[in-house]
Amino acid sequence: MQEPEDEAREMTFQPAQLAIHESDAALATCVAERVADLAAQAIAIRGEFRLALAGGETPRRCYEQLRYLPVNWAHVQVFFGDERCLPRGDKQRNDTMAYATLLDHVAIPPANIHTIAAEYGAYDAARNYAMLLNDYAPLDLVLLGLGEDGHTASLFPGNPATELSDAAVAVFDAPKPPPQRVSLGLHTLQRAQHRIFLVTGAGKRAALQAINDGASLPAARVGLSEWHIDRAAMPEFY
Ligand code: 6PG
């Protein structure tokens, strides 16, 4: 039985997990190249690459660069780490940003893009997405952002949805608007072959410090991940 403090020590960032970048632009370039590399590996081995895109603003530059890299998009299935319960096409939706920066600019078959129908409400959308994910699990790569409170996707600290075992979960009372969302469940994130976090800006320092100190925040619970962090976000521990 692992002692709690042992588990906490395991959550300290290992050097192999960390890539520290001088700028958010350098981080975006590096992560875009990592996505292209993992795509080539998965397609060579299994003929398909199952990628979940992160929401929020941090991945924007990465997606804008990814569209110019040699990815065999016909063999890529795109999913979303989470979606906000807003009308389709709303500027604040995560899929709206993904289409504008990447998906409208690459030769991916529309049927390969699996958006979350969050406009129909969190419960129905989560149930439908969980059924879809059961046909594709495990995902090859999940891109993730980090919230200032240590959330990732739409799994927020202390929110009941974070503890659910479903493949996709309905989120209510999210502290980051909008309050209703749909998220990949924690187990789906944990089961993915690879996880890459993109973290930029001084606003994320406190969350990174807390994770390094062993806080059991949602972003610290997804399993071994690559952490791509820019200098501005790096806490004093490095
Ligand atoms: C969302 C995202 C969320 C995001 C973090 C970081 O819907 O808001 O999925 O998890 O990744 O909150 O957001 P920024 O990249 O905008 O800082």
Side-chain angles (χ1 to χ4, degrees):
M1 173 69 177
Q2 220 168 15
E3 292 303 317
E5 59 273 13
D6 293 347
E7 189 184 83
R9 264 202 293 280
E10 273 187 9
M11 279 189 274
T12 304
F13 294 104
Q14 304 303 325
Q17 287 176 265
L18 270 185
I20 302 170
H21 302 276
E22 288 308 313
S23 67
D24 57 349
L27 183 150
T29 301
C30 179
V31 173
E33 288 166 356
R34 283 292 293 137
V35 174
D37 288 347
L38 290 170
Q41 289 172 33
I43 292 168
I45 296 168
R46 283 185 304 285
E48 187 170 82
F49 180 56
R50 300 167 179 176
L51 167 66
L53 296 177
E57 283 305 307
T58 302
R60 184 181 288 273
R61 295 181 80 148
C62 174
Y63 299 165
E64 287 168 345
Q65 299 200 25
L66 181 56
R67 70 190 190 207
Y68 299 110
L69 296 186
V71 173
N72 189 347
W73 291 103
H75 293 272
V76 178
Q77 299 287 339
V78 168
F79 303 85
F80 291 83
D82 65 339
E83 189 54 88
R84 304 162 181 190
C85 291
L86 296 167
R88 198 164 284 272
D90 187 295
K91 288 197 303 293
Q92 291 303 314
R93 274 179 67 122
N94 291 326
D95 58 7
T96 301
M97 187 271 276
Y99 273 103
T101 54
L102 175 61
L103 301 175
D104 281 339
H105 305 275
V106 294
I108 184 168
N112 287 24
I113 302 172
H114 306 284
T115 57
I116 301 174
E119 63 275 18
Y120 294 120
Y123 274 129
D124 289 348
R127 187 172 53 246
N128 292 337
Y129 213 62
M131 286 190 284
L132 172 78
L133 286 166
N134 288 333
D135 293 339
Y136 286 96
L139 300 175
D140 291 299
L141 171 62
V142 182
L143 296 179
L144 292 165
L146 175 68
E148 298 189 4
D149 60 358
H151 78 260
T152 192
S154 283
L155 300 178
F156 293 88
N159 190 295
T162 304
E163 308 310 324
L164 297 177
S165 59
D166 307 271
V169 296
V171 181
F172 300 94
D173 305 320
K176 178 178 181 182
Q180 281 198 30
R181 293 157 167 261
V182 177
S183 182
L184 296 188
L186 188 60
H187 290 186
T188 302
L189 303 182
Q190 292 168 337
R191 288 180 59 203
Q193 306 281 352
H194 299 275
R195 284 160 294 278
I196 294 180
F197 277 93
L198 297 84
V199 186
T200 63
K204 308 298 172 77
R205 277 188 190 164
L208 286 170
Q209 183 67 62
I211 290 169
N212 191 64
D213 293 345
S216 183
L217 295 167
R221 297 171 58 190
V222 300
L224 193 64
S225 307
E226 278 181 37
W227 288 81
H228 290 261
I229 303 171
D230 76 352
R231 277 263 171 248
M234 282 308 295
E236 301 315 317
F237 64 78
Y238 271 82

